[in-house]
Amino acid sequence: MVEIPDTLPARMFLLAYDLRKERMTQRGPRLGYVLRAAALTELFLDGRLVEEHGRPVPGTPGDDPYGLLAEIAASRPRSWQHWIRKDGRAMVGTVREELARERWIRVTRERPLGLFPRDRVSVRDPRVVKALWGGASSALRGRPVAHVNSYDAAAVALAAAGEMASVLPGSDRRRHRRRIEELTARSGPAVPAVRKILRARRAAAAAG
């Protein structure tokens, strides 16, 4: 049995890695949205975050590994979309540092000719990514939705909402639309909020 990370944001970061191309397939704001939504979803699934009047509020006290509970508790009520959009770039860095510190990934600095320096991410053990893919594939095509592991269900729902082609190409999202809707319903309000954010960005880009 291959060991995999415990947290949902760490799993989603690794699922954004393409083993064939040996690089991250998801960058920029979209990855930040997925990781923030993953952290919110983890808190929601564990009861540490609940929904009141369509907004997240603290629930049962517990661990707050990414500081989101403290942020939400200290703020006036705000939408799921607000908390997903907030500090996405910082979230990517936090999760990446967590994975590097725990030796799931290796981060090296590159300076392509004539370009600004950038970090290159490589996965230390490809079997970890394959195991995560396997869990997502099983959630999408396997046992009844009610029996799917909650993190595997959330991984598929988040990958679909975030349009992560490394996990779910567009053809698979269309083919398994009903199943994805069922997995999304199990995973809480942060997942559909990601979809709304991306639709709003596309609409704004088209209007601009």
Side-chain angles (χ1 to χ4, degrees), residues 88-126:
R89 183 184 296 273
M91 186 68 174
V92 173
T94 297
V95 177
R96 185 179 61 193
E97 290 170 10
E98 169 193 328
L99 288 166
R101 185 173 59 252
E102 296 177 3
R103 299 185 63 77
W104 298 103
I105 63 172
R106 182 184 295 105
V107 181
T108 54
R109 178 57 61 94
E110 293 183 337
R111 188 185 293 272
L113 186 63
L115 299 176
F116 291 107
R118 66 185 183 190
D119 291 333
R120 178 179 177 83
V121 173
S122 57
V123 171
R124 289 181 178 272
D125 186 350

PDB file of all heavy atoms in Angstrom, residues 88-126:
ATOM      1  N   GLY A  88      -5.224  33.079  -2.785  1.00  0.00           N
ATOM      2  CA  GLY A  88      -4.969  31.828  -3.505  1.00  0.00           C
ATOM      3  C   GLY A  88      -3.501  31.591  -3.785  1.00  0.00           C
ATOM      4  O   GLY A  88      -3.001  30.471  -3.642  1.00  0.00           O
ATOM      5  N   ARG A  89      -2.778  32.636  -4.179  1.00  0.00           N
ATOM      6  CA  ARG A  89      -1.352  32.482  -4.467  1.00  0.00           C
ATOM      7  C   ARG A  89      -0.584  32.025  -3.226  1.00  0.00           C
ATOM      8  O   ARG A  89       0.274  31.143  -3.302  1.00  0.00           O
ATOM      9  CB  ARG A  89      -0.776  33.791  -4.989  1.00  0.00           C
ATOM     10  CG  ARG A  89       0.701  33.710  -5.379  1.00  0.00           C
ATOM     11  CD  ARG A  89       1.224  35.077  -5.787  1.00  0.00           C
ATOM     12  NE  ARG A  89       0.568  35.565  -6.979  1.00  0.00           N
ATOM     13  CZ  ARG A  89       0.972  35.277  -8.207  1.00  0.00           C
ATOM     14  NH1 ARG A  89       2.026  34.486  -8.407  1.00  0.00           N
ATOM     15  NH2 ARG A  89       0.338  35.773  -9.256  1.00  0.00           N
ATOM     16  N   ALA A  90      -0.923  32.624  -2.088  1.00  0.00           N
ATOM     17  CA  ALA A  90      -0.263  32.234  -0.846  1.00  0.00           C
ATOM     18  C   ALA A  90      -0.577  30.788  -0.487  1.00  0.00           C
ATOM     19  O   ALA A  90       0.281  30.058   0.032  1.00  0.00           O
ATOM     20  CB  ALA A  90      -0.689  33.164   0.294  1.00  0.00           C
ATOM     21  N   MET A  91      -1.804  30.351  -0.789  1.00  0.00           N
ATOM     22  CA  MET A  91      -2.192  28.977  -0.488  1.00  0.00           C
ATOM     23  C   MET A  91      -1.371  27.993  -1.309  1.00  0.00           C
ATOM     24  O   MET A  91      -0.943  26.942  -0.796  1.00  0.00           O
ATOM     25  CB  MET A  91      -3.688  28.781  -0.778  1.00  0.00           C
ATOM     26  CG  MET A  91      -4.220  27.417  -0.365  1.00  0.00           C
ATOM     27  SD  MET A  91      -4.229  27.229   1.441  1.00  0.00           S
ATOM     28  CE  MET A  91      -5.060  25.656   1.601  1.00  0.00           C
ATOM     29  N   VAL A  92      -1.139  28.314  -2.574  1.00  0.00           N
ATOM     30  CA  VAL A  92      -0.309  27.438  -3.417  1.00  0.00           C
ATOM     31  C   VAL A  92       1.076  27.289  -2.795  1.00  0.00           C
ATOM     32  O   VAL A  92       1.612  26.187  -2.677  1.00  0.00           O
ATOM     33  CB  VAL A  92      -0.203  27.986  -4.844  1.00  0.00           C
ATOM     34  CG1 VAL A  92       0.793  27.157  -5.660  1.00  0.00           C
ATOM     35  CG2 VAL A  92      -1.562  27.977  -5.532  1.00  0.00           C
ATOM     36  N   GLY A  93       1.664  28.397  -2.369  1.00  0.00           N
ATOM     37  CA  GLY A  93       2.985  28.348  -1.753  1.00  0.00           C
ATOM     38  C   GLY A  93       2.995  27.567  -0.457  1.00  0.00           C
ATOM     39  O   GLY A  93       3.929  26.793  -0.192  1.00  0.00           O
ATOM     40  N   THR A  94       1.959  27.728   0.352  1.00  0.00           N
ATOM     41  CA  THR A  94       1.880  27.020   1.632  1.00  0.00           C
ATOM     42  C   THR A  94       1.820  25.515   1.432  1.00  0.00           C
ATOM     43  O   THR A  94       2.526  24.750   2.091  1.00  0.00           O
ATOM     44  CB  THR A  94       0.645  27.495   2.427  1.00  0.00           C
ATOM     45  OG1 THR A  94       0.785  28.882   2.734  1.00  0.00           O
ATOM     46  CG2 THR A  94       0.493  26.706   3.723  1.00  0.00           C
ATOM     47  N   VAL A  95       0.956  25.080   0.508  1.00  0.00           N
ATOM     48  CA  VAL A  95       0.803  23.641   0.262  1.00  0.00           C
ATOM     49  C   VAL A  95       2.070  23.076  -0.362  1.00  0.00           C
ATOM     50  O   VAL A  95       2.527  21.979  -0.006  1.00  0.00           O
ATOM     51  CB  VAL A  95      -0.430  23.362  -0.615  1.00  0.00           C
ATOM     52  CG1 VAL A  95      -0.538  21.868  -0.929  1.00  0.00           C
ATOM     53  CG2 VAL A  95      -1.698  23.841   0.075  1.00  0.00           C
ATOM     54  N   ARG A  96       2.662  23.815  -1.277  1.00  0.00           N
ATOM     55  CA  ARG A  96       3.905  23.360  -1.906  1.00  0.00           C
ATOM     56  C   ARG A  96       5.009  23.206  -0.865  1.00  0.00           C
ATOM     57  O   ARG A  96       5.742  22.201  -0.860  1.00  0.00           O
ATOM     58  CB  ARG A  96       4.334  24.352  -2.989  1.00  0.00           C
ATOM     59  CG  ARG A  96       5.550  23.908  -3.792  1.00  0.00           C
ATOM     60  CD  ARG A  96       5.895  24.923  -4.851  1.00  0.00           C
ATOM     61  NE  ARG A  96       6.220  26.215  -4.271  1.00  0.00           N
ATOM     62  CZ  ARG A  96       6.312  27.346  -4.958  1.00  0.00           C
ATOM     63  NH1 ARG A  96       6.070  27.346  -6.253  1.00  0.00           N
ATOM     64  NH2 ARG A  96       6.623  28.472  -4.360  1.00  0.00           N
ATOM     65  N   GLU A  97       5.139  24.163   0.032  1.00  0.00           N
ATOM     66  CA  GLU A  97       6.156  24.072   1.081  1.00  0.00           C
ATOM     67  C   GLU A  97       5.887  22.902   2.021  1.00  0.00           C
ATOM     68  O   GLU A  97       6.823  22.213   2.452  1.00  0.00           O
ATOM     69  CB  GLU A  97       6.187  25.382   1.879  1.00  0.00           C
ATOM     70  CG  GLU A  97       6.759  26.552   1.088  1.00  0.00           C
ATOM     71  CD  GLU A  97       6.554  27.875   1.794  1.00  0.00           C
ATOM     72  OE1 GLU A  97       6.139  27.864   2.976  1.00  0.00           O
ATOM     73  OE2 GLU A  97       6.806  28.930   1.168  1.00  0.00           O
ATOM     74  N   GLU A  98       4.624  22.667   2.321  1.00  0.00           N
ATOM     75  CA  GLU A  98       4.242  21.534   3.166  1.00  0.00           C
ATOM     76  C   GLU A  98       4.672  20.209   2.520  1.00  0.00           C
ATOM     77  O   GLU A  98       5.271  19.341   3.172  1.00  0.00           O
ATOM     78  CB  GLU A  98       2.725  21.548   3.381  1.00  0.00           C
ATOM     79  CG  GLU A  98       2.135  20.301   4.023  1.00  0.00           C
ATOM     80  CD  GLU A  98       0.619  20.267   3.908  1.00  0.00           C
ATOM     81  OE1 GLU A  98      -0.011  21.346   3.914  1.00  0.00           O
ATOM     82  OE2 GLU A  98       0.067  19.162   3.802  1.00  0.00           O
ATOM     83  N   LEU A  99       4.394  20.064   1.226  1.00  0.00           N
ATOM     84  CA  LEU A  99       4.740  18.836   0.521  1.00  0.00           C
ATOM     85  C   LEU A  99       6.254  18.676   0.386  1.00  0.00           C
ATOM     86  O   LEU A  99       6.774  17.557   0.473  1.00  0.00           O
ATOM     87  CB  LEU A  99       4.083  18.834  -0.861  1.00  0.00           C
ATOM     88  CG  LEU A  99       2.564  18.623  -0.868  1.00  0.00           C
ATOM     89  CD1 LEU A  99       1.978  18.967  -2.223  1.00  0.00           C
ATOM     90  CD2 LEU A  99       2.210  17.189  -0.489  1.00  0.00           C
ATOM     91  N   ALA A 100       6.959  19.786   0.174  1.00  0.00           N
ATOM     92  CA  ALA A 100       8.416  19.714   0.073  1.00  0.00           C
ATOM     93  C   ALA A 100       9.031  19.366   1.429  1.00  0.00           C
ATOM     94  O   ALA A 100       9.956  18.539   1.510  1.00  0.00           O
ATOM     95  CB  ALA A 100       8.972  21.045  -0.428  1.00  0.00           C
ATOM     96  N   ARG A 101       8.521  19.966   2.489  1.00  0.00           N
ATOM     97  CA  ARG A 101       9.045  19.710   3.836  1.00  0.00           C
ATOM     98  C   ARG A 101       8.854  18.249   4.228  1.00  0.00           C
ATOM     99  O   ARG A 101       9.714  17.652   4.889  1.00  0.00           O
ATOM    100  CB  ARG A 101       8.340  20.629   4.826  1.00  0.00           C
ATOM    101  CG  ARG A 101       8.864  20.551   6.256  1.00  0.00           C
ATOM    102  CD  ARG A 101       8.225  21.601   7.138  1.00  0.00           C
ATOM    103  NE  ARG A 101       6.781  21.486   7.207  1.00  0.00           N
ATOM    104  CZ  ARG A 101       5.915  22.321   6.644  1.00  0.00           C
ATOM    105  NH1 ARG A 101       6.355  23.341   5.927  1.00  0.00           N
ATOM    106  NH2 ARG A 101       4.605  22.146   6.772  1.00  0.00           N
ATOM    107  N   GLU A 102       7.721  17.677   3.822  1.00  0.00           N
ATOM    108  CA  GLU A 102       7.428  16.289   4.173  1.00  0.00           C
ATOM    109  C   GLU A 102       7.941  15.313   3.110  1.00  0.00           C
ATOM    110  O   GLU A 102       7.633  14.127   3.169  1.00  0.00           O
ATOM    111  CB  GLU A 102       5.924  16.125   4.384  1.00  0.00           C
ATOM    112  CG  GLU A 102       5.419  16.956   5.573  1.00  0.00           C
ATOM    113  CD  GLU A 102       3.919  16.864   5.763  1.00  0.00           C
ATOM    114  OE1 GLU A 102       3.267  16.100   5.005  1.00  0.00           O
ATOM    115  OE2 GLU A 102       3.402  17.550   6.661  1.00  0.00           O
ATOM    116  N   ARG A 103       8.694  15.838   2.135  1.00  0.00           N
ATOM    117  CA  ARG A 103       9.416  15.058   1.142  1.00  0.00           C
ATOM    118  C   ARG A 103       8.495  14.279   0.180  1.00  0.00           C
ATOM    119  O   ARG A 103       8.838  13.224  -0.316  1.00  0.00           O
ATOM    120  CB  ARG A 103      10.425  14.110   1.813  1.00  0.00           C
ATOM    121  CG  ARG A 103      11.484  14.852   2.635  1.00  0.00           C
ATOM    122  CD  ARG A 103      12.540  13.919   3.194  1.00  0.00           C
ATOM    123  NE  ARG A 103      13.302  13.264   2.138  1.00  0.00           N
ATOM    124  CZ  ARG A 103      14.271  13.830   1.434  1.00  0.00           C
ATOM    125  NH1 ARG A 103      14.598  15.101   1.637  1.00  0.00           N
ATOM    126  NH2 ARG A 103      14.911  13.144   0.502  1.00  0.00           N
ATOM    127  N   TRP A 104       7.338  14.878  -0.106  1.00  0.00           N
ATOM    128  CA  TRP A 104       6.496  14.324  -1.169  1.00  0.00           C
ATOM    129  C   TRP A 104       6.956  14.825  -2.528  1.00  0.00           C
ATOM    130  O   TRP A 104       6.806  14.132  -3.536  1.00  0.00           O
ATOM    131  CB  TRP A 104       5.028  14.718  -0.950  1.00  0.00           C
ATOM    132  CG  TRP A 104       4.412  14.208   0.301  1.00  0.00           C
ATOM    133  CD1 TRP A 104       4.176  14.919   1.445  1.00  0.00           C
ATOM    134  CD2 TRP A 104       3.937  12.879   0.564  1.00  0.00           C
ATOM    135  NE1 TRP A 104       3.583  14.111   2.390  1.00  0.00           N
ATOM    136  CE2 TRP A 104       3.417  12.857   1.880  1.00  0.00           C
ATOM    137  CE3 TRP A 104       3.898  11.696  -0.198  1.00  0.00           C
ATOM    138  CZ2 TRP A 104       2.866  11.718   2.458  1.00  0.00           C
ATOM    139  CZ3 TRP A 104       3.341  10.557   0.366  1.00  0.00           C
ATOM    140  CH2 TRP A 104       2.847  10.572   1.677  1.00  0.00           C
ATOM    141  N   ILE A 105       7.466  16.066  -2.540  1.00  0.00           N
ATOM    142  CA  ILE A 105       7.918  16.671  -3.797  1.00  0.00           C
ATOM    143  C   ILE A 105       9.310  17.276  -3.607  1.00  0.00           C
ATOM    144  O   ILE A 105       9.786  17.460  -2.487  1.00  0.00           O
ATOM    145  CB  ILE A 105       6.954  17.782  -4.281  1.00  0.00           C
ATOM    146  CG1 ILE A 105       6.913  18.939  -3.272  1.00  0.00           C
ATOM    147  CG2 ILE A 105       5.573  17.214  -4.570  1.00  0.00           C
ATOM    148  CD1 ILE A 105       6.137  20.156  -3.757  1.00  0.00           C
ATOM    149  N   ARG A 106       9.934  17.598  -4.742  1.00  0.00           N
ATOM    150  CA  ARG A 106      11.204  18.322  -4.752  1.00  0.00           C
ATOM    151  C   ARG A 106      10.980  19.623  -5.526  1.00  0.00           C
ATOM    152  O   ARG A 106      10.387  19.609  -6.612  1.00  0.00           O
ATOM    153  CB  ARG A 106      12.283  17.481  -5.429  1.00  0.00           C
ATOM    154  CG  ARG A 106      13.667  18.104  -5.451  1.00  0.00           C
ATOM    155  CD  ARG A 106      14.658  17.243  -6.222  1.00  0.00           C
ATOM    156  NE  ARG A 106      14.893  15.954  -5.558  1.00  0.00           N
ATOM    157  CZ  ARG A 106      14.410  14.795  -5.957  1.00  0.00           C
ATOM    158  NH1 ARG A 106      13.630  14.734  -7.039  1.00  0.00           N
ATOM    159  NH2 ARG A 106      14.671  13.681  -5.319  1.00  0.00           N
ATOM    160  N   VAL A 107      11.426  20.741  -4.967  1.00  0.00           N
ATOM    161  CA  VAL A 107      11.278  22.036  -5.628  1.00  0.00           C
ATOM    162  C   VAL A 107      12.668  22.585  -5.933  1.00  0.00           C
ATOM    163  O   VAL A 107      13.489  22.739  -5.027  1.00  0.00           O
ATOM    164  CB  VAL A 107      10.493  23.035  -4.761  1.00  0.00           C
ATOM    165  CG1 VAL A 107      10.335  24.362  -5.498  1.00  0.00           C
ATOM    166  CG2 VAL A 107       9.128  22.467  -4.382  1.00  0.00           C
ATOM    167  N   THR A 108      12.931  22.859  -7.212  1.00  0.00           N
ATOM    168  CA  THR A 108      14.226  23.403  -7.629  1.00  0.00           C
ATOM    169  C   THR A 108      14.001  24.709  -8.379  1.00  0.00           C
ATOM    170  O   THR A 108      12.986  24.881  -9.069  1.00  0.00           O
ATOM    171  CB  THR A 108      14.982  22.412  -8.523  1.00  0.00           C
ATOM    172  OG1 THR A 108      14.150  22.022  -9.629  1.00  0.00           O
ATOM    173  CG2 THR A 108      15.371  21.169  -7.734  1.00  0.00           C
ATOM    174  N   ARG A 109      14.950  25.625  -8.258  1.00  0.00           N
ATOM    175  CA  ARG A 109      14.853  26.919  -8.924  1.00  0.00           C
ATOM    176  C   ARG A 109      15.524  26.852 -10.296  1.00  0.00           C
ATOM    177  O   ARG A 109      16.671  26.414 -10.405  1.00  0.00           O
ATOM    178  CB  ARG A 109      15.511  27.987  -8.049  1.00  0.00           C
ATOM    179  CG  ARG A 109      15.549  29.392  -8.622  1.00  0.00           C
ATOM    180  CD  ARG A 109      14.170  29.927  -8.986  1.00  0.00           C
ATOM    181  NE  ARG A 109      13.263  30.030  -7.873  1.00  0.00           N
ATOM    182  CZ  ARG A 109      13.091  31.143  -7.149  1.00  0.00           C
ATOM    183  NH1 ARG A 109      13.778  32.228  -7.428  1.00  0.00           N
ATOM    184  NH2 ARG A 109      12.212  31.161  -6.166  1.00  0.00           N
ATOM    185  N   GLU A 110      14.792  27.261 -11.326  1.00  0.00           N
ATOM    186  CA  GLU A 110      15.315  27.285 -12.677  1.00  0.00           C
ATOM    187  C   GLU A 110      15.350  28.720 -13.185  1.00  0.00           C
ATOM    188  O   GLU A 110      14.549  29.562 -12.768  1.00  0.00           O
ATOM    189  CB  GLU A 110      14.443  26.453 -13.622  1.00  0.00           C
ATOM    190  CG  GLU A 110      14.459  24.961 -13.364  1.00  0.00           C
ATOM    191  CD  GLU A 110      13.633  24.213 -14.385  1.00  0.00           C
ATOM    192  OE1 GLU A 110      12.737  24.843 -14.985  1.00  0.00           O
ATOM    193  OE2 GLU A 110      13.878  23.015 -14.593  1.00  0.00           O
ATOM    194  N   ARG A 111      16.271  29.001 -14.101  1.00  0.00           N
ATOM    195  CA  ARG A 111      16.330  30.313 -14.742  1.00  0.00           C
ATOM    196  C   ARG A 111      16.432  30.097 -16.254  1.00  0.00           C
ATOM    197  O   ARG A 111      17.535  30.085 -16.812  1.00  0.00           O
ATOM    198  CB  ARG A 111      17.521  31.114 -14.225  1.00  0.00           C
ATOM    199  CG  ARG A 111      17.543  32.566 -14.710  1.00  0.00           C
ATOM    200  CD  ARG A 111      18.816  33.261 -14.267  1.00  0.00           C
ATOM    201  NE  ARG A 111      18.867  33.421 -12.838  1.00  0.00           N
ATOM    202  CZ  ARG A 111      18.346  34.470 -12.180  1.00  0.00           C
ATOM    203  NH1 ARG A 111      17.729  35.414 -12.858  1.00  0.00           N
ATOM    204  NH2 ARG A 111      18.459  34.560 -10.874  1.00  0.00           N
ATOM    205  N   PRO A 112      15.291  29.908 -16.919  1.00  0.00           N
ATOM    206  CA  PRO A 112      15.333  29.733 -18.376  1.00  0.00           C
ATOM    207  C   PRO A 112      15.983  30.950 -19.042  1.00  0.00           C
ATOM    208  O   PRO A 112      15.875  32.070 -18.545  1.00  0.00           O
ATOM    209  CB  PRO A 112      13.851  29.619 -18.759  1.00  0.00           C
ATOM    210  CG  PRO A 112      13.159  29.234 -17.489  1.00  0.00           C
ATOM    211  CD  PRO A 112      13.940  29.872 -16.387  1.00  0.00           C
ATOM    212  N   LEU A 113      16.627  30.713 -20.155  1.00  0.00           N
ATOM    213  CA  LEU A 113      17.355  31.761 -20.850  1.00  0.00           C
ATOM    214  C   LEU A 113      16.435  32.946 -21.161  1.00  0.00           C
ATOM    215  O   LEU A 113      15.422  32.813 -21.836  1.00  0.00           O
ATOM    216  CB  LEU A 113      17.943  31.217 -22.147  1.00  0.00           C
ATOM    217  CG  LEU A 113      18.865  32.162 -22.926  1.00  0.00           C
ATOM    218  CD1 LEU A 113      20.105  32.500 -22.096  1.00  0.00           C
ATOM    219  CD2 LEU A 113      19.263  31.522 -24.251  1.00  0.00           C
ATOM    220  N   GLY A 114      16.817  34.112 -20.641  1.00  0.00           N
ATOM    221  CA  GLY A 114      16.071  35.319 -20.925  1.00  0.00           C
ATOM    222  C   GLY A 114      14.779  35.475 -20.158  1.00  0.00           C
ATOM    223  O   GLY A 114      14.036  36.437 -20.366  1.00  0.00           O
ATOM    224  N   LEU A 115      14.475  34.536 -19.247  1.00  0.00           N
ATOM    225  CA  LEU A 115      13.226  34.598 -18.496  1.00  0.00           C
ATOM    226  C   LEU A 115      13.507  34.753 -17.010  1.00  0.00           C
ATOM    227  O   LEU A 115      14.623  34.548 -16.538  1.00  0.00           O
ATOM    228  CB  LEU A 115      12.396  33.331 -18.737  1.00  0.00           C
ATOM    229  CG  LEU A 115      11.966  33.064 -20.182  1.00  0.00           C
ATOM    230  CD1 LEU A 115      11.240  31.729 -20.268  1.00  0.00           C
ATOM    231  CD2 LEU A 115      11.053  34.188 -20.689  1.00  0.00           C
ATOM    232  N   PHE A 116      12.461  35.110 -16.265  1.00  0.00           N
ATOM    233  CA  PHE A 116      12.596  35.240 -14.826  1.00  0.00           C
ATOM    234  C   PHE A 116      12.770  33.854 -14.189  1.00  0.00           C
ATOM    235  O   PHE A 116      12.292  32.850 -14.726  1.00  0.00           O
ATOM    236  CB  PHE A 116      11.363  35.916 -14.226  1.00  0.00           C
ATOM    237  CG  PHE A 116      11.235  37.367 -14.596  1.00  0.00           C
ATOM    238  CD1 PHE A 116      10.274  37.783 -15.513  1.00  0.00           C
ATOM    239  CD2 PHE A 116      12.084  38.308 -14.040  1.00  0.00           C
ATOM    240  CE1 PHE A 116      10.146  39.117 -15.853  1.00  0.00           C
ATOM    241  CE2 PHE A 116      11.968  39.656 -14.368  1.00  0.00           C
ATOM    242  CZ  PHE A 116      11.009  40.058 -15.289  1.00  0.00           C
ATOM    243  N   PRO A 117      13.433  33.790 -13.044  1.00  0.00           N
ATOM    244  CA  PRO A 117      13.567  32.502 -12.349  1.00  0.00           C
ATOM    245  C   PRO A 117      12.191  31.921 -12.003  1.00  0.00           C
ATOM    246  O   PRO A 117      11.249  32.667 -11.750  1.00  0.00           O
ATOM    247  CB  PRO A 117      14.340  32.863 -11.078  1.00  0.00           C
ATOM    248  CG  PRO A 117      14.996  34.155 -11.367  1.00  0.00           C
ATOM    249  CD  PRO A 117      14.091  34.884 -12.320  1.00  0.00           C
ATOM    250  N   ARG A 118      12.105  30.611 -12.011  1.00  0.00           N
ATOM    251  CA  ARG A 118      10.854  29.960 -11.632  1.00  0.00           C
ATOM    252  C   ARG A 118      11.170  28.668 -10.915  1.00  0.00           C
ATOM    253  O   ARG A 118      12.244  28.089 -11.095  1.00  0.00           O
ATOM    254  CB  ARG A 118       9.985  29.698 -12.853  1.00  0.00           C
ATOM    255  CG  ARG A 118      10.572  28.687 -13.821  1.00  0.00           C
ATOM    256  CD  ARG A 118       9.740  28.541 -15.072  1.00  0.00           C
ATOM    257  NE  ARG A 118      10.264  27.528 -15.974  1.00  0.00           N
ATOM    258  CZ  ARG A 118       9.837  27.348 -17.208  1.00  0.00           C
ATOM    259  NH1 ARG A 118       8.863  28.118 -17.697  1.00  0.00           N
ATOM    260  NH2 ARG A 118      10.362  26.405 -17.968  1.00  0.00           N
ATOM    261  N   ASP A 119      10.210  28.223 -10.126  1.00  0.00           N
ATOM    262  CA  ASP A 119      10.381  26.973  -9.388  1.00  0.00           C
ATOM    263  C   ASP A 119       9.847  25.806 -10.215  1.00  0.00           C
ATOM    264  O   ASP A 119       8.778  25.907 -10.824  1.00  0.00           O
ATOM    265  CB  ASP A 119       9.633  27.033  -8.048  1.00  0.00           C
ATOM    266  CG  ASP A 119      10.274  28.001  -7.076  1.00  0.00           C
ATOM    267  OD1 ASP A 119      11.489  28.226  -7.196  1.00  0.00           O
ATOM    268  OD2 ASP A 119       9.561  28.537  -6.210  1.00  0.00           O
ATOM    269  N   ARG A 120      10.596  24.725 -10.218  1.00  0.00           N
ATOM    270  CA  ARG A 120      10.162  23.498 -10.891  1.00  0.00           C
ATOM    271  C   ARG A 120       9.825  22.458  -9.824  1.00  0.00           C
ATOM    272  O   ARG A 120      10.633  22.175  -8.934  1.00  0.00           O
ATOM    273  CB  ARG A 120      11.260  22.967 -11.810  1.00  0.00           C
ATOM    274  CG  ARG A 120      10.876  21.655 -12.506  1.00  0.00           C
ATOM    275  CD  ARG A 120      11.976  21.170 -13.432  1.00  0.00           C
ATOM    276  NE  ARG A 120      11.648  19.899 -14.042  1.00  0.00           N
ATOM    277  CZ  ARG A 120      10.888  19.751 -15.117  1.00  0.00           C
ATOM    278  NH1 ARG A 120      10.393  20.823 -15.708  1.00  0.00           N
ATOM    279  NH2 ARG A 120      10.629  18.566 -15.624  1.00  0.00           N
ATOM    280  N   VAL A 121       8.647  21.897  -9.919  1.00  0.00           N
ATOM    281  CA  VAL A 121       8.180  20.879  -8.974  1.00  0.00           C
ATOM    282  C   VAL A 121       8.335  19.503  -9.604  1.00  0.00           C
ATOM    283  O   VAL A 121       7.969  19.298 -10.761  1.00  0.00           O
ATOM    284  CB  VAL A 121       6.698  21.117  -8.597  1.00  0.00           C
ATOM    285  CG1 VAL A 121       6.164  19.960  -7.763  1.00  0.00           C
ATOM    286  CG2 VAL A 121       6.540  22.434  -7.863  1.00  0.00           C
ATOM    287  N   SER A 122       8.871  18.567  -8.855  1.00  0.00           N
ATOM    288  CA  SER A 122       8.922  17.168  -9.292  1.00  0.00           C
ATOM    289  C   SER A 122       8.470  16.283  -8.140  1.00  0.00           C
ATOM    290  O   SER A 122       8.756  16.570  -6.968  1.00  0.00           O
ATOM    291  CB  SER A 122      10.329  16.773  -9.754  1.00  0.00           C
ATOM    292  OG  SER A 122      11.275  17.008  -8.727  1.00  0.00           O
ATOM    293  N   VAL A 123       7.744  15.246  -8.479  1.00  0.00           N
ATOM    294  CA  VAL A 123       7.238  14.306  -7.474  1.00  0.00           C
ATOM    295  C   VAL A 123       8.311  13.267  -7.184  1.00  0.00           C
ATOM    296  O   VAL A 123       8.898  12.699  -8.102  1.00  0.00           O
ATOM    297  CB  VAL A 123       5.941  13.635  -7.974  1.00  0.00           C
ATOM    298  CG1 VAL A 123       5.525  12.504  -7.051  1.00  0.00           C
ATOM    299  CG2 VAL A 123       4.827  14.667  -8.093  1.00  0.00           C
ATOM    300  N   ARG A 124       8.568  13.034  -5.912  1.00  0.00           N
ATOM    301  CA  ARG A 124       9.624  12.092  -5.540  1.00  0.00           C
ATOM    302  C   ARG A 124       9.235  10.647  -5.839  1.00  0.00           C
ATOM    303  O   ARG A 124      10.072   9.852  -6.263  1.00  0.00           O
ATOM    304  CB  ARG A 124       9.965  12.249  -4.056  1.00  0.00           C
ATOM    305  CG  ARG A 124      10.689  13.545  -3.733  1.00  0.00           C
ATOM    306  CD  ARG A 124      11.017  13.636  -2.249  1.00  0.00           C
ATOM    307  NE  ARG A 124      11.760  14.848  -1.925  1.00  0.00           N
ATOM    308  CZ  ARG A 124      13.081  14.973  -1.971  1.00  0.00           C
ATOM    309  NH1 ARG A 124      13.816  13.937  -2.334  1.00  0.00           N
ATOM    310  NH2 ARG A 124      13.665  16.110  -1.653  1.00  0.00           N
ATOM    311  N   ASP A 125       7.980  10.285  -5.609  1.00  0.00           N
ATOM    312  CA  ASP A 125       7.535   8.912  -5.835  1.00  0.00           C
ATOM    313  C   ASP A 125       6.281   8.934  -6.711  1.00  0.00           C
ATOM    314  O   ASP A 125       5.190   9.242  -6.224  1.00  0.00           O
ATOM    315  CB  ASP A 125       7.229   8.218  -4.503  1.00  0.00           C
ATOM    316  CG  ASP A 125       6.901   6.740  -4.670  1.00  0.00           C
ATOM    317  OD1 ASP A 125       6.722   6.288  -5.815  1.00  0.00           O
ATOM    318  OD2 ASP A 125       6.815   6.034  -3.641  1.00  0.00           O
ATOM    319  N   PRO A 126       6.402   8.629  -8.003  1.00  0.00           N
ATOM    320  CA  PRO A 126       5.244   8.668  -8.902  1.00  0.00           C
ATOM    321  C   PRO A 126       4.086   7.787  -8.441  1.00  0.00           C
ATOM    322  O   PRO A 126       2.937   8.032  -8.813  1.00  0.00           O
ATOM    323  CB  PRO A 126       5.815   8.172 -10.235  1.00  0.00           C
ATOM    324  CG  PRO A 126       7.281   8.472 -10.162  1.00  0.00           C
ATOM    325  CD  PRO A 126       7.647   8.277  -8.720  1.00  0.00           C
TER     326      PRO A 126
END
